[in-house]
Amino acid sequence: MKRLSLVLAGTLIAALGLMGIAGVLAQGGDDGGFTWAGEVDAPDFPNGADWINTTGPISIADLQGKIVILDFWTYGCINCIHIIPQLKQLEAEYPDELVVIGVHSAKFDNEGQTENIRQIVQRYELEHPVINDHDFVVWEDYSIRFWPTLMLIDPLGKVVGRMEGEPIYDRMQPIIQTMVEEYGAAGFLNLDPLPQWQRGMVEDKHNDPLRFPGKVLADPEGNRLFIADSNHNRVIVTALDTFEVQDVIGGLDEGLVDGDYATARFFRPQGVALVENMLFVADTENHAIRAVNLDTREVTTAAGTGEQGFNYDNGGFGPDMALSSPWDLVAFDNKLYIAMAGPHQLWVYNLDTAEIGPYAGSGREQLTDGPLREGALNQPSGIDTDGTVLYFADAEASAIRTADLDPNGDLNTIVGTGLFDFGDVDGVGDDVRLQHPLGVTVSENGLLYVADTYNSKIKRIDPATRESVTFAGTGEAGLADGTRDAQFYEPGGLDYADGKLYVADTNNHAIRVIDTASGAVSTVIFPNVDVLLPDGADEADSTAVEDSGLDTSIDLGSGMGEDVILLPPQVVGVGDGTIVINVTMPEGYKLNDLAPFTAIWPENAAVDAVVQIPAEQRDIRIVHPDLPLEVPVTFAAGQTDLTLNLTVYWCEGINETLCFVDRSILTVPLTVLPEREETTVSFDRALVPPM
């Protein structure tokens, strides 16, 4: 077969700081009459790999008769995120002829874990199969060099060639169309669905009031908390003291629509910034900056056309400028500074003139200090200021850096040494290691708090001494409040105000609050949560916590054989009350007469100001208790997460030869309000015999 190499039209895209050919595919000649055909058999997928969105592993043989795109990606890579909508567009146009296989070859250690990949698959609503290529077997078999890279395989199982970088739709669509026509006419296309995967088989069922929240902004003067509820495509406004929902800006469906709060639409918004009565929103996947007038309750587009731009050098009038993944915002001196993740730059928007353009970074993806426009950045994703410099989280370099507010100033690095230098190491200066931090905020004493996202920690950094220490989080992904044992799951943003940190705990679909003096972590409870649920409600009062039917049970696993269960939120009144521990089991089973029923409250129960449990009731061990078990307590106004460590030994009731042990950690998000009459909190645990 005659062969020639075709360089497709397209811009040259930087991948990992290196310039990759925009697209190289092999074009066929005479054999079979196919314009696009391969000669080399596509290497098969390795045995034993984890697959997502399938009922089982897929082989190259299973893909015979399909046009196949292998998408090599890693989920922290902004360029990989950019091509997801374009792949979805191709999948929608060729639902029977084309199969996209995501090959996730992780850059960061955290990205190599299957459950973390599953979370990102849900976040970006990927429906195609994804293989976890954590050992880079598929990567090496196909000689991949950059993220993202697409490999094209013809319906006969032959490798046609590769396409590197972004964008991809305009380059790939004509090729797919030609292959559909030619292979279809020759009878080589199989239009039947794959047995292991059918389009639409993936359904991310959830009823969380938040969905992958990305950023938060605290406004102490206005007693408000602004939450970017990213995957619900909206911004939520709550009271800062009670977290009662005051407003919801935008709808659940994605779009780029201006108008009032109910009409406006966003697409996975991230950072927000407040300037007097105007709230500015980084509308990330719309590649736009939106302006929310909090007085008139109207949303307009301040900058961005809705299309992704590839401009690194020129500024212009905001609505006319195409942007690229604005991720976070901070306002100072009538300017809006933007962590523009897509082009690896900081941009600035002038609030007086509506002009927008690059402020720092050349567009190369490197960790390079120096004059603002000559230095280089690495997917900046969080930004804040103390009025003297800009602090930003340079995510792909796992770095925290500064940019002078003087336009003639410099870029400098506080911690972080390079694109592939990452880890979880406290220390000073160049010894420090973070892992893909997405958020940074500065406190009144000049200390920085960092959302060390892939380490599931909050770090505290002194910019003067360059010392970094772990402030909160164990490093294990989970949802747990307290102090030493508090856990997070890939927190994406945070904001400091009046001695507290407000954290967007992204993969936990929650907002967490950290008291910086004590280090105590709690989880926000919305007293009128019903207004955030998909179906809404007619009344927005505190009874919604009880009446919403919200099932927030999750099984995070503790590594010790316990189930970690988040029970539905409850609301009670102030005064003397009761905790009811209600353990049920199926008919024909009973408690073990020889082992103790154990109910232990954690150490922080002794100092919990909201729920006061008598000392003699904090460690209960009874061989055969009368259930339900009642514990007298006293409730004070406030919010807390009430946690119970429960161990139950139980047996089959007839022959008593089959016995089990159930260890669980039960948490009830609890709100205590003076006006409520209810005085009982229930801990319910239904036991199920193991299969």
Side-chain angles (χ1 to χ4, degrees), residues 97-301:
E97 303 91 345
L98 174 67
V99 173
V100 175
I101 304 284
V103 183
H104 191 275
S105 308
K107 171 186 174 182
F108 292 96
D109 293 340
N110 185 73
E111 293 176 336
Q113 300 177 29
T114 299
E115 185 54 38
N116 295 342
I117 301 170
R118 196 184 315 277
Q119 291 287 330
I120 211 74
V121 164
Q122 292 180 359
R123 191 187 311 184
Y124 288 102
E125 299 168 348
L126 302 183
E127 294 189 338
H128 56 245
V130 176
I131 183 174
N132 182 0
D133 183 35
H134 62 81
D135 291 327
F136 280 71
V137 174
V138 188
W139 175 285
E140 293 177 358
D141 284 346
Y142 283 85
S143 300
I144 303 302
R145 303 180 297 173
F146 309 126
W147 297 282
T149 292
L150 304 183
M151 295 297 300
L152 184 63
I153 300 172
D154 68 25
L156 302 180
K158 307 288 186 179
V159 176
V160 177
R162 90 168 102 234
M163 183 176 290
E164 296 170 338
E166 58 158 323
I168 59 101
Y169 177 82
D170 288 341
R171 295 181 284 151
M172 185 65 81
Q173 192 276 340
I175 298 170
I176 301 298
Q177 180 61 36
T178 299
M179 294 179 73
V180 167
E181 293 171 358
E182 294 180 353
Y183 285 94
F188 286 130
L189 288 181
N190 175 10
L191 304 183
D192 295 332
L194 291 177
Q196 306 93 322
W197 170 78
Q198 293 83 42
R199 197 175 302 274
M201 71 178 289
V202 183
E203 187 176 1
D204 179 19
K205 294 182 179 179
H206 65 87
N207 54 4
D208 306 284
L210 304 178
R211 197 63 180 160
F212 295 107
K215 301 289 184 183
V216 289
L217 174 68
D219 172 29
E221 292 183 4
N223 189 33
R224 294 175 293 192
L225 181 69
F226 299 94
I227 303 168
D229 189 11
S230 302
N231 268 52
H232 281 151
N233 304 301
R234 62 189 181 181
V235 177
I236 295 166
V237 188
T238 79
L240 188 60
D241 52 357
T242 66
F243 305 112
E244 180 177 5
V245 178
Q246 299 175 342
D247 276 310
V248 176
I249 307 170
L252 295 178
D253 51 317
E254 64 198 45
L256 178 56
V257 181
D258 290 342
D260 60 27
Y261 285 6
T263 303
R265 293 294 181 267
F266 301 87
F267 191 6
R268 295 200 186 100
Q270 290 285 336
V272 294
L274 187 64
V275 182
E276 296 179 347
N277 71 327
M278 298 295 294
L279 182 74
F280 292 90
V281 181
D283 196 3
T284 303
E285 295 205 36
N286 275 326
H287 307 291
I289 305 297
R290 314 292 292 282
V292 182
N293 189 313
L294 299 173
D295 293 336
T296 65
R297 303 171 64 84
E298 292 286 327
V299 179
T300 57
T301 300

Side-chain angles (χ1 to χ4, degrees), residues 453-686:
T453 305
Y454 285 0
N455 284 324
S456 292
K457 286 184 175 183
I458 306 301
K459 299 289 180 67
R460 185 179 63 202
I461 297 176
D462 186 334
T465 65
R466 302 176 66 203
E467 181 183 27
S468 174
V469 298
T470 296
F471 182 72
T474 64
E476 294 292 327
L479 176 59
D481 288 343
T483 51
R484 296 188 303 272
D485 298 328
Q487 291 179 308
F488 303 85
Y489 193 0
E490 290 196 7
L494 75 176
D495 195 33
Y496 174 89
D498 292 344
K500 293 183 178 179
L501 287 171
Y502 300 86
V503 182
D505 196 2
T506 304
N507 282 8
N508 277 325
H509 317 294
I511 304 301
R512 317 290 294 282
V513 181
I514 308 175
D515 184 288
T516 57
S518 66
V521 179
S522 60
T523 301
V524 164
I525 303 164
F526 304 106
N528 55 338
V529 71
D530 58 331
V531 300
L532 299 180
L533 301 181
D535 293 332
D538 293 331
E539 298 182 5
D541 59 27
S542 58
T543 61
V545 175
E546 297 170 316
D547 299 337
S548 67
L550 178 63
D551 179 8
T552 54
S553 297
I554 54 174
D555 181 0
L556 296 172
S558 67
M560 297 296 293
E562 299 101 340
D563 282 339
V564 182
I565 307 295
L566 180 63
L567 298 175
Q570 299 180 42
V571 180
V572 296
V574 171
D576 292 337
T578 306
I579 295 174
V580 176
I581 303 171
N582 187 29
V583 176
T584 59
M585 59 198 77
E587 185 177 354
Y589 292 84
K590 67 173 187 175
L591 292 174
N592 189 329
D593 293 330
L594 302 177
F597 175 102
T598 304
I600 300 174
W601 307 96
E603 293 179 3
N604 62 352
V607 295
D608 193 323
V610 178
V611 181
Q612 294 144 36
I613 303 172
E616 66 274 12
Q617 298 288 344
R618 294 178 198 149
D619 191 334
I620 300 172
R621 302 170 190 267
I622 306 175
V623 171
H624 202 295
D626 292 328
L627 296 177
L629 191 66
E630 295 186 355
V631 178
V633 296
T634 302
F635 298 118
Q639 292 182 316
T640 190
D641 285 347
L642 191 57
T643 298
L644 172 65
N645 295 302
L646 187 66
T647 303
V648 182
Y649 297 88
W650 56 301
C651 299
E652 188 180 15
I654 299 176
N655 56 30
E656 300 187 9
T657 59
L658 186 61
C659 291
F660 316 104
V661 58
D662 180 85
R663 295 185 178 93
S664 58
I665 301 172
L666 307 177
T667 297
V668 170
L670 182 64
T671 300
V672 181
L673 302 175
E675 64 271 18
R676 295 306 294 269
E677 296 180 358
E678 178 61 51
T679 59
T680 300
V681 175
S682 297
F683 281 84
D684 297 320
R685 179 64 167 161

Side-chain angles (χ1 to χ4, degrees), residues 416-464:
T417 55
L419 264 169
F420 290 90
D421 299 332
F422 58 86
D424 184 6
V425 180
D426 292 345
V428 178
D430 289 350
D431 293 334
V432 172
R433 292 291 181 268
L434 309 175
Q435 189 176 186
H436 204 271
L438 291 179
V440 61
T441 185
V442 58
S443 65
E444 74 269 357
N445 59 8
L447 295 177
L448 306 180
Y449 293 92
V450 173
D452 193 4
T453 305
Y454 285 0
N455 284 324
S456 292
K457 286 184 175 183
I458 306 301
K459 299 289 180 67
R460 185 179 63 202
I461 297 176
D462 186 334

Side-chain angles (χ1 to χ4, degrees), residues 16-93:
L16 302 178
L18 301 173
M19 299 299 291
I21 298 175
V24 179
L25 289 172
Q27 187 176 37
D30 300 332
D31 274 2
F34 300 124
T35 305
W36 301 99
E39 286 184 334
V40 179
D41 289 338
D44 212 345
F45 303 110
N47 294 326
D50 289 341
W51 286 83
I52 300 170
N53 289 350
T54 71
T55 59
I58 294 173
S59 68
I60 292 297
D62 296 329
L63 298 169
Q64 290 288 314
K66 300 290 186 184
I67 301 166
V68 179
I69 293 176
L70 302 184
D71 172 28
F72 287 84
W73 65 303
T74 184
Y75 73 71
C77 158
I78 191 65
N79 310 92
C80 303
I81 294 170
H82 284 162
I83 70 169
I84 288 174
Q86 299 168 57
L87 289 170
K88 289 183 177 181
Q89 189 174 353
L90 290 171
E91 291 175 289
E93 289 183 29

